[in-house]
Amino acid sequence: MDLLIIGGNRYFGKRLISRLLEAGHHVTVLNRGSSPAPEGAIQLIADRNDEAALESALGGRSFDVVVDQVCYTPRQAEIARRVFAGRARRYLMTSTVEVYEYEDSAAPVAEDALDLDTVTVDPGLPWEDPEFLDAHYGEGKRQAEAVFAAGTEFPWASVRVAHVLGGADDFTGRVEHYARRIRAGEPVSVPVVNRPATYVYVEEIAAFLAWAVGAEFTGPVNAHSHGPLSTADICAEIALLVGGKVVFHGVEVGEVSPFSFARSYAMDNSRAERLGYRFTHSSEWLRQALSETLSTEGVA
């Protein structure tokens, strides 16, 4: 297939590109030019926020599937709908579990918990402000999904990615945050009532996205491994890897550590499995994933 990947040159995005190339697909990568395309892929350079520049970079090219790894706002989604009308046979957007940020459900959340028809889309918000965008990450993704869902230019799907673990190239610093505190015996701040969440191994989400490229489903699909994890589960494994003691400090109000949640919104991945994908269980990869990330600190 002739594929276009927008962004996604790091973390699970680069693993996705590698898998697609190994499968024999013709891969074009579009980014702003801050990093080269992987060997074997064609690179197009443009700022996806600049509609004219995007049109110019694409020229007369068309693609079987466009995989949009960096669509964060409704404004970006609106540009993509216009630019890729007639250029994309299918459009796949990488989304996030954070679209469920208003959910608090004891049962795992299925895709229809979010009715995209009811989402208010406001492209006039200050989406270009990095601080605003960071603070409204889930809202931006939710509105972007709603823009695509309302379109008829091409079949569209979104992959709602769970919290990702693994890889020495994990750039978030979340695992290292825990490792430092556990080594030092310092308290880890968590909500007084701390809920588990769903996770996915970095290699598994790359594999799932590669599978989704060749599938024909439309609409949103949740992507995560079986076996929700609590902060205690993650910290216990980190303690085995780095030594030290896990000390939790319950916080009623205020900042808490990453991977700790006062509300329940574990996802339900049964739609993906009905479509034919089989996820692993988090117990199969958790220790390896954490070890990979902590290897940069001499732990392997």
Side-chain angles (χ1 to χ4, degrees), residues 12-296:
F12 63 82
K14 70 180 183 182
R15 291 167 171 81
L16 167 63
I17 293 170
S18 177
R19 287 173 181 269
L20 295 174
L21 288 168
E22 288 173 3
H25 296 296
H26 184 270
V27 179
T28 300
V29 176
L30 186 145
N31 59 29
R32 290 178 295 182
S34 57
S35 58
E39 184 177 352
I42 294 170
Q43 184 173 29
L44 300 178
I45 297 176
D47 182 347
R48 59 101 35 86
N49 297 298
D50 184 332
E51 187 167 349
L54 185 56
E55 288 267 12
S56 177
L58 291 169
R61 296 175 179 85
S62 61
F63 303 92
D64 295 310
V65 183
V66 174
V67 183
D68 194 341
Q69 292 274 71
V70 289
C71 186
Y72 301 114
T73 75
R75 196 177 303 162
Q76 291 173 334
E78 289 174 344
I79 289 172
R81 275 183 53 183
R82 291 191 294 268
V83 170
F84 287 100
R87 284 190 170 96
R89 187 181 66 80
R90 183 165 173 264
Y91 204 97
L92 184 65
M93 171 190 163
T94 302
S95 189
T96 173
V97 61
E98 298 302 329
V99 300
Y100 299 118
E101 64 180 320
Y102 300 131
E103 298 299 323
D104 190 351
S105 171
V109 177
E111 292 83 357
D112 59 6
L114 172 59
D115 183 354
L116 292 172
D117 290 338
T118 67
V119 173
T120 300
V121 174
D122 189 352
L125 291 172
W127 297 111
E128 70 286 348
D129 179 349
E131 289 188 8
F132 179 87
L133 183 58
D134 184 62
H136 297 84
Y137 175 69
E139 181 63 29
K141 286 285 192 179
R142 185 167 45 251
Q143 291 192 28
E145 283 198 35
V147 169
F148 282 121
T152 58
E153 295 85 357
F154 37 68
W156 164 85
S158 68
V159 175
R160 294 173 177 169
V161 180
H163 307 288
V164 183
L165 289 172
D169 55 337
D170 179 352
F171 60 90
T172 65
R174 294 168 178 171
V175 172
E176 288 84 352
H177 165 88
Y178 284 118
R180 287 192 299 269
R181 301 193 76 81
I182 290 169
R183 277 198 189 103
E186 296 175 353
V188 173
S189 296
V190 296
V192 172
V193 179
N194 189 22
R195 308 292 188 184
T198 38
Y199 292 80
V200 67
Y201 181 39
V202 64
E203 297 290 349
E204 183 160 37
I205 191 56
F208 180 82
L209 287 166
W211 170 84
V213 164
E216 294 292 335
F217 69 88
T218 59
V221 63
N222 295 334
H224 62 87
S225 304
H226 296 292
L229 297 169
S230 67
T231 314
D233 295 327
I234 295 171
C235 287
E237 291 291 345
I238 293 173
L240 289 174
L241 289 168
V242 305
K245 183 179 180 181
V246 181
V247 180
F248 288 118
H249 170 61
V251 177
E252 290 281 3
V253 178
E255 187 173 354
V256 296
S257 297
F259 301 144
S260 57
F261 308 97
R263 61 192 173 86
S264 298
Y265 67 128
M267 293 194 293
D268 177 345
N269 64 12
S270 59
R271 183 181 187 223
E273 297 220 319
R274 288 195 303 271
L275 289 167
Y277 193 86
R278 294 292 175 263
F279 289 98
T280 64
H281 193 281
S282 59
S283 61
E284 298 175 45
W285 52 257
L286 177 58
R287 183 169 300 181
Q288 178 178 336
L290 295 171
S291 178
E292 289 169 357
T293 302
L294 293 170
S295 67
T296 57

